[in-house]
Amino acid sequence: SAFINCIRFADGVVCRNMSKIKIVQLKKADVLTAVEVNALRKQLSPNAKRVALPVLKKVLANKDAEFWVVKDGMHIVGMGALYLIQKLSGLAGRIEYIVVDEKYRGQGLGKIIMNKLKDRARARRASIVELTSNPSRTSANAMYQKLGFKKRDTNVYRLEF
């Protein structure tokens, strides 16, 4: 008996067989993987630059990075990355690229990704985990706080080259 999850949208109801949903660490990538990752990045940030396959492969080969994806069958429908950085204060985890395909939101997949990344940071002996999130992403920000993340009163700066 498969677990079926249904969500009501303004334009109808979508039901999914959740038994085909799984979270796996992405260890290799091909052209289709890069296309799916780029499609999710566009949902996260419409101005996101396309990630070329060689760059994605370089991230996956980095021993201080873990890239996890949620798959529905063979298709990537969510993702998140954990980067480990050795600082003077200890090993820190940085979570990036948390996104679930808009057609799959509201089913707890973001929480599954976040819990996996938190567990992996703990297993790899990080003393803290940090992330940033656009304030306009109200659902995501609420989820991070429910998962125990504390909002910091700090400024984030970027210098592009």
Side-chain angles (χ1 to χ4, degrees):
S1 62
F3 173 60
I4 305 295
N5 187 23
C6 297
I7 297 183
R8 184 175 308 281
F9 292 97
D11 57 349
V13 175
V14 174
C15 295
R16 293 203 193 323
N17 179 346
M18 296 301 283
S19 64
K20 292 183 179 180
I21 302 283
K22 62 184 183 236
I23 184 164
V24 296
Q25 186 175 359
L26 195 60
K27 301 233 183 200
K28 58 186 169 108
D30 57 18
V31 172
L32 179 59
T33 305
V35 167
E36 291 180 329
V37 165
N38 278 308
L40 286 172
R41 280 180 39 92
K42 280 287 187 196
Q43 289 184 35
L44 183 64
S45 176
N47 297 326
K49 294 177 185 164
R50 190 181 70 78
V51 177
L53 181 57
V55 173
L56 180 57
K57 286 182 175 184
K58 193 181 273 191
V59 169
L60 299 180
N62 181 346
K63 69 178 180 51
D64 294 321
E66 293 187 14
F67 204 97
W68 289 81
V69 295
V70 175
K71 290 189 152 194
D72 183 359
M74 297 300 296
H75 296 288
I76 297 172
V77 299
M79 67 182 186
L82 171 67
Y83 296 91
L84 296 163
I85 307 146
Q86 184 61 56
K87 297 182 174 185
L88 293 176
S89 57
L91 188 64
R94 174 123 180 124
I95 292 177
E96 300 269 349
Y97 313 119
I98 300 297
V99 63
V100 172
D101 186 294
E102 52 201 8
K103 295 184 223 77
Y104 287 79
R105 291 181 189 161
Q107 301 178 68
L109 299 179
K111 183 178 177 184
I112 290 170
I113 297 167
M114 286 299 300
N115 282 331
K116 174 58 79 174
L117 296 176
K118 283 174 33 184
D119 290 347
R120 293 300 305 144
R122 193 176 291 114
R124 295 203 47 190
R125 307 272 190 246
S127 57
I128 63 164
V129 178
E130 298 177 313
L131 61 86
T132 61
S133 183
N134 189 313
S136 68
R137 299 182 67 224
T138 53
S139 295
N141 282 286
M143 176 185 67
Y144 302 143
Q145 291 177 34
K146 283 182 191 166
L147 291 172
F149 285 82
K150 305 285 185 245
K151 188 174 176 188
R152 295 181 62 201
D153 187 21
T154 186
N155 295 329
V156 177
Y157 296 93
R158 174 181 291 159
L159 176 62
E160 292 191 24
F161 296 106

